[in-house]
Amino acid sequence: MNVPTNLFMWIMACLPIIVLLLLRIKFQWGATEAAPVGLAITIITGIVFYKADIRLLAAESAKGIWSALIILLIVWTAILLYQVADEARAFLVIRNGMRKLLPNELLMVLALGWILESFLQGITGFGVPVAVGAPLLMGIGVVPVFAVIIPLLGQAWGNTFGTLAAAWDALAMSTGLVPGTPDYLAAAFWAGVFIWMWNVVIGLVICWFYGKGKAVRKGLPALLILSLIQGGGELLLTRVNTTIACFLPACLSLVALILIGRMKMYRQEWSVEDSRIMDRGAASGTSEETPDGMTLVQAFVPYILLTVVTMVVLVVPPVNRFLNQVSIGFSFPETSTGYGFVNQATELFSPLRPFTHASMFLFLSSIAGLVYFGRHGWIRPGGVKRVFVRSITMSMPSGIAIIGLVIMSKIMGGTGQTSVLADGIARVLGKTYVILAPLVGMVGSFMTGSNMSSNILFGEFQVTTANLLHLNQAPILGAQTAGGSIGSAISPSNIILGTTTAGILGSEGQVLKRIIPFTTIMTLAIGIIVFLSVAVS
């Protein structure tokens, strides 16, 4: 490769990212509007300054479209499953059922603001946990601002391996990590370690918000048990199957919470009377129209079905081998720029195995949920049509953004822009760059609205930088996606979704002001750990 790595070429490589940041932060553009602009600039810089031809751009764009479609299958089916439960009003049943099971108010806040969000993030993601959690918390008397803050935190730890590992798969895809290889397992291990740390911090912060030291002391035993199941369970499952690494522990934490509520120290009524996050007079009762006769277990039926199908297909080897035989993919020829930057030919690029893909599990569970709720009369007339229309409508904005960002990432990598960008960073910062590696992931989530998009945009950059510095890429990639998980708590799109459902649109600054301090500290702490582990050795 003979691409010049001078300051001008570095600025040109950085230009699409700078423009995305400006449009998202300064001009408050949505990811849907900003992504095509970033893509257009990437194409122009690729042609004018990096000597890419139309053949190369077409090949990389096709790779990007195919990769994005694989991701979007998960996005749409995950949102479809949420819409099924929402149409049946199952979430009202879940809220009222939790109220009866958990007399301890702190546990109730943790249940509706952390544990339920973890469960929804494990399956759905894409802002759904915040949209569901904020009204549920207001229903038990949490003031609107904190009813948004708490779900933002509650869902954040599950942003890497949640949505059946969509963000993690995006990172693996963009960096060439092959499932089961030592590099893949090592990166997943580091991600699991960092995310477990963040999971503990989330629980502590929610307790602190509720009642400061008094609530932390009361909630600590429950917090440690739940975090061991969630963070520890996820770390353990990254060694087995990343697809269920968040989903299964999140399911188990729901069950564990009910059992914790029966422990001697939690089974009596308890609350902090002067809690700053509670306005008990504003709590709504259970007078809202709930589905007639639906039990708490029945409200979870689609998710129970999802658990069973996913476990059978992914964990039972004969079933997995049989269904894995079908794969769909495309071949791409070798391409190169005028500077001699070569993209190797590939026979089967990013193959899709439809019968073991997460979208298949989500789709089957959604259809089964529609049938089950429909037979019990809990789907109102026209409900099936509404479910599909809403899921498509809700998916479209993120779909446009994801397609634009994936193509942008592929073109940046295929034209050599990512390599130049990484080379410049490596030369200036040297090994101290790794302290900022998780910050890059956090900024990516803030900028694009999702950890998955952050991994797509910056995954290859992180690998290239690590290679240039002759550093182990595994902890750096773990830090990238852990930073992305933390960044999801301050993502403007997630915050706006929360303030909208809580009825306090325009209060985004209040929410952000309370979350930014400890998210930034946590991100830098991860960076220091990475530096000590790879740069000092």
Side-chain angles (χ1 to χ4, degrees):
M1 182 188 77
N2 299 311
V3 183
T5 53
N6 54 48
L7 179 60
F8 176 77
M9 293 294 281
W10 188 87
I11 292 172
M12 289 301 100
C14 201
L15 186 61
I17 296 171
I18 293 172
V19 170
L20 273 178
L21 281 169
L22 286 174
L23 292 177
R24 291 287 284 146
I25 299 170
K26 183 173 176 58
F27 297 102
Q28 299 295 304
W29 282 30
T32 305
E33 295 82 16
V37 176
L39 172 59
I41 294 171
T42 304
I43 293 171
I44 292 169
T45 55
I47 294 172
V48 176
F49 302 107
Y50 284 81
K51 298 185 179 181
D53 58 22
I54 298 301
R55 185 167 174 267
L56 184 150
L57 294 174
E60 295 305 315
S61 297
K63 290 177 184 176
I65 292 170
W66 174 245
S67 299
L69 288 176
I70 293 174
I71 295 167
L72 288 174
L73 282 173
I74 301 177
V75 175
W76 176 68
T77 50
I79 291 172
L80 179 67
L81 183 60
Y82 157 69
Q83 290 293 346
V84 169
D86 189 53
E87 178 64 29
R89 293 157 292 161
F91 294 115
L92 292 177
V93 176
I94 291 170
R95 185 197 69 184
N96 297 338
M98 290 291 190
R99 267 179 163 172
K100 295 175 183 177
L101 291 170
L102 301 172
N104 183 295
E105 190 174 69
L106 174 58
L107 279 191
M108 188 66 185
V109 170
L110 290 172
L112 296 181
W114 181 27
I115 306 305
L116 182 61
E117 274 65 29
S118 300
F119 175 75
L120 292 174
Q121 184 63 37
I123 299 166
T124 310
F126 303 103
V128 166
V130 182
V132 172
L136 291 180
L137 285 168
M138 290 173 64
I140 62 169
V142 177
V143 297
V145 169
F146 282 98
V148 175
I149 291 171
I150 292 171
L152 281 167
L153 293 171
Q155 56 84 37
W157 77 274
N159 250 265
T160 288
F161 296 104
T163 321
L164 299 185
W168 172 255
D169 288 344
L171 181 68
M173 176 199 69
S174 64
T175 58
L177 289 174
V178 178
T181 61
D183 286 344
Y184 180 95
L185 293 172
F189 171 81
W190 280 101
V193 170
F194 295 142
I195 292 168
W196 190 356
M197 292 167 53
W198 174 227
N199 179 270
V200 173
V201 169
I202 288 169
L204 289 171
V205 169
I206 293 174
C207 288
W208 180 263
F209 280 154
Y210 175 77
K212 296 189 176 179
K214 184 178 181 181
V216 171
R217 288 190 294 273
K218 183 70 174 179
L220 191 59
L223 187 158
L224 292 176
I225 294 170
L226 292 168
S227 185
L228 180 64
I229 294 169
Q230 290 185 338
E234 181 176 85
L235 178 61
L236 181 64
L237 284 170
T238 60
R239 325 310 300 156
V240 181
N241 191 307
T242 54
T243 301
I244 57 173
C246 173
F247 170 53
L248 187 57
C251 292
L252 294 175
S253 68
L254 265 176
V255 177
L257 182 72
I258 304 303
L259 298 177
I260 289 169
R262 296 179 181 178
M263 291 171 60
K264 184 177 181 181
M265 66 182 300
Y266 293 119
R267 66 186 176 207
Q268 303 299 325
E269 288 190 15
W270 185 89
S271 62
V272 174
E273 292 302 320
D274 59 347
S275 171
R276 60 175 172 159
I277 74 168
M278 301 301 296
D279 180 10
R280 296 174 181 90
S284 62
T286 58
S287 58
E288 296 175 74
E289 185 185 353
T290 55
D292 186 34
M294 185 187 289
T295 66
L296 184 59
V297 172
Q298 288 175 313
F300 279 106
V301 161
Y303 302 109
I304 295 170
L305 291 172
L306 177 63
T307 305
V308 173
V309 172
T310 303
M311 292 298 292
V312 169
V313 174
L314 296 182
V315 176
V316 180
V319 175
N320 186 263
R321 281 195 299 269
F322 176 74
L323 295 177
N324 243 338
Q325 294 178 79
V326 180
S327 64
I328 306 168
F330 298 94
S331 62
F332 289 92
E334 180 181 288
T335 57
S336 63
T337 68
Y339 284 118
F341 186 88
V342 177
N343 299 290
Q344 298 295 331
T346 176
E347 288 297 321
L348 194 64
F349 174 79
S350 190
L352 168 66
R353 292 178 170 80
F355 298 115
T356 57
H357 192 248
S359 61
M360 181 61 73
F361 313 145
L362 290 163
F363 183 74
L364 290 176
S365 302
S366 300
I367 299 303
L370 273 175
V371 172
Y372 181 80
F373 289 145
R375 284 185 174 177
H376 284 77
W378 296 324
I379 300 291
R380 290 163 288 189
V384 175
K385 181 180 178 181
R386 283 194 297 272
V387 163
F388 279 91
V389 170
R390 287 173 184 168
S391 63
I392 292 170
T393 303
M394 194 173 175
S395 303
M396 285 182 67
S398 60
I400 294 169
I402 288 168
I403 290 171
L405 289 169
V406 174
I407 296 174
M408 176 179 161
S409 173
K410 291 297 178 187
I411 291 176
M412 285 187 70
T415 56
Q417 294 179 66
T418 301
S419 295
V420 170
L421 193 61
D423 187 54
I425 293 284
R427 289 187 185 189
V428 173
L429 296 179
K431 292 184 178 182
T432 56
Y433 162 76
V434 298
I435 296 175
L436 302 179
L439 195 61
V440 169
M442 185 176 80
V443 170
S445 277
F446 179 83
M447 180 175 72
T448 65
S450 80
N451 186 14
M452 181 174 63
S453 297
S454 176
N455 287 342
I456 292 167
L457 196 58
F458 292 119
E460 186 176 351
F461 164 75
Q462 297 275 24
V463 168
T464 305
T465 307
N467 290 338
L468 287 169
L469 294 170
H470 305 292
L471 298 174
N472 181 3
Q473 69 181 37
I476 294 174
L477 287 178
Q480 155 66 32
T481 193
S485 287
I486 296 171
S488 70
I490 58 171
S491 162
S493 56
N494 280 347
I495 293 174
I496 290 171
L497 189 60
T499 55
T500 301
T501 56
I504 54 169
L505 190 64
S507 302
E508 292 79 19
Q510 295 180 47
V511 173
L512 203 56
K513 182 175 68 176
R514 288 180 168 91
I515 300 180
I516 276 184
F518 53 85
T519 52
T520 304
I521 292 170
M522 184 67 205
T523 305
L524 291 174
I526 290 173
I528 292 169
I529 293 171
V530 176
F531 178 76
L532 293 174
S533 66
V534 302
V536 174
S537 59

